[in-house]
């Protein structure tokens, strides 16, 4: 009766990994319990989300390695893995929102989110132009929410303008506005197959974990450029940022409980250090308490089942 915060399946976004093939479910060793799914099996996941009351799924491709290039051109192929997966999900469960990631790391031969110069430095404006085309390709495929996770400056405005011009005025932008250069992304990079490829780190475009005021500036820019919602990432170690963004801007704020956080909870549960179900629900509730409208979590289907008493 006095609970100040509610957690429900409607607060969850379920990230899913896609691979080539037919009838393929590939486990990811550093993300125990999470798999890559071939496009034909995505329909089943979308329907599962609908049955569980999860309003949105987020799709990430593991692009075959022979299609990864310096210029990431596969990102612009209207028949690439992610576009086929979006169509399959929307055909199977049109009521379930589909969020797609705009960034080049699943498509580059060097694993960076953008185009690099000879010295390996990620080029902001060159990248931003390609991201804009990538967003359009994903919107054409049927994505409901475009989520730029690349951290280039100016890309939200460019994408918004292109969506308007391209007849996709109703496609939303969820900006990964405050995304930190974090050690918690390792299992994700395994899942999309970029870990072994990545040269150097992402510290020239992702944020320094020491900074909070910079996060507020990043959020302000993305909102001014037309972001509908903003995201803080990773999640648990950055709940102070969630709170500050919520209080300052009063817009819907999301957090990404990232792959390393999932792995940490699973490892704790497997080691008998805590009880999985309780750990999952307590951490998800803490996102809501901090001010999140919703959370991207690999535990989304488990949490939704628990919350429904199933
Ligand atoms: C890349 C991207 C990353 C994640 C989402 N999009 C990793 C990175 O920046 O290297 C991480 C998500 C996770 O760890 O679960 N554009």
């Amino acid at each position: 009766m006095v609970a100040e915060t509610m957690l429900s399946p409607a607060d969850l976004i379920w990230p899913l990994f896609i691979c080539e093939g037919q009838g393929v479910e590939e486990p990811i060793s550093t993300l125990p319990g999470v798999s890559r799914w071939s496009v034909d099996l995505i329909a089943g996941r979308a329907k599962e989300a609908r049955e569980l009351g999860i309003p949105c799924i987020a799709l990430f491709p593991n692009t075959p390695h022979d299609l990864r290039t310096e210029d990431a051109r596969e990102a612009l192929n209207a028949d690439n893995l992610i576009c086929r997966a979006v169509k399959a999900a929307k055909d199977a469960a049109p009521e379930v929102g589909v969020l797609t990631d705009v960034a080049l790391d699943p498509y580059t031969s060097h694993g960076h989110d953008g185009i690099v110069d000879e010295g390996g430095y990620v080029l902001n404006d060159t990248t931003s132009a390609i991201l804009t085309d990538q967003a359009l390709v994903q919107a054409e495929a049927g994505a409901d929410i475009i989520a730029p996770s690349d951290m280039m400056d100016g890309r939200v405005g460019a994408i918004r303008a292109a969506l308007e011009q391209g007849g996709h005025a109703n496609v939303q932008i969820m900006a990964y506005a405050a995304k930190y250069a974090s050690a918690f992304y390792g299992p994700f990079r395994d899942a999309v197959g970029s870990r072994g490829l990545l040269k150097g780190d992402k510290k020239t475009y992702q944020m320094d974990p020491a900074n909070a005021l910079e996060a507020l500036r990043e959020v302000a820019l993305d909102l001014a450029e037309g972001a509908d919602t903003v995201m803080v990432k990773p999640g648990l170690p950055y709940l102070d940022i969630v709170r500050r963004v919520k209080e300052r801007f009063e817009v819907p704020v999301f957090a990404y409980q990232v792959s390393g956080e999932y792995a940490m909870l699973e490892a704790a549960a497997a080691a008998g250090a805590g009880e999985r179900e309780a750990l999952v629900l307590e951490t998800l509730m803490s996102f809501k308490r901090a001010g999140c409208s919703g959370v991207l979590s690999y535990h989304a289907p488990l949490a939704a089942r628990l919350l429904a008493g199933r």
Side-chain angles (χ1 to χ4, degrees), residues 103 105 113 149 179 185 188-189 202 206 233 258-259 298:
D105 54 313
D113 291 22
S149 72
K179 175 172 175 182
Y185 304 150
F188 174 95
R189 292 177 188 167
K202 299 191 177 184
Q206 298 181 351
K233 176 182 172 189
V258 298
S259 57
Y298 302 97

Side-chain angles (χ1 to χ4, degrees), residues 225-296:
E225 290 174 28
D228 297 281
T229 57
V230 293
M231 195 202 295
V232 173
K233 176 182 172 189
L236 283 184
Y238 296 87
L239 290 184
D240 59 318
I241 308 297
V242 167
R243 166 60 67 184
R244 290 173 75 161
V245 168
K246 185 72 196 181
E247 285 181 348
R248 172 76 66 95
F249 298 99
E250 301 181 347
V251 296
V253 180
F254 290 79
Y256 199 145
Q257 186 177 41
V258 298
S259 57
E261 298 178 65
Y262 173 94
M264 203 163 60
L265 295 179
E266 285 295 316
E275 201 232 316
R276 175 179 288 104
E277 280 79 7
L279 291 169
V280 167
L281 292 180
E282 181 179 334
T283 52
L284 289 172
M285 181 66 85
S286 71
F287 285 96
K288 292 295 306 286
R289 191 191 62 243
C292 281
S293 295
V295 190
L296 289 91

Side-chain angles (χ1 to χ4, degrees), residues 49 70 80 92 154 184 305:
E70 287 271 313
N80 67 15
F184 284 95
R305 265 186 210 99

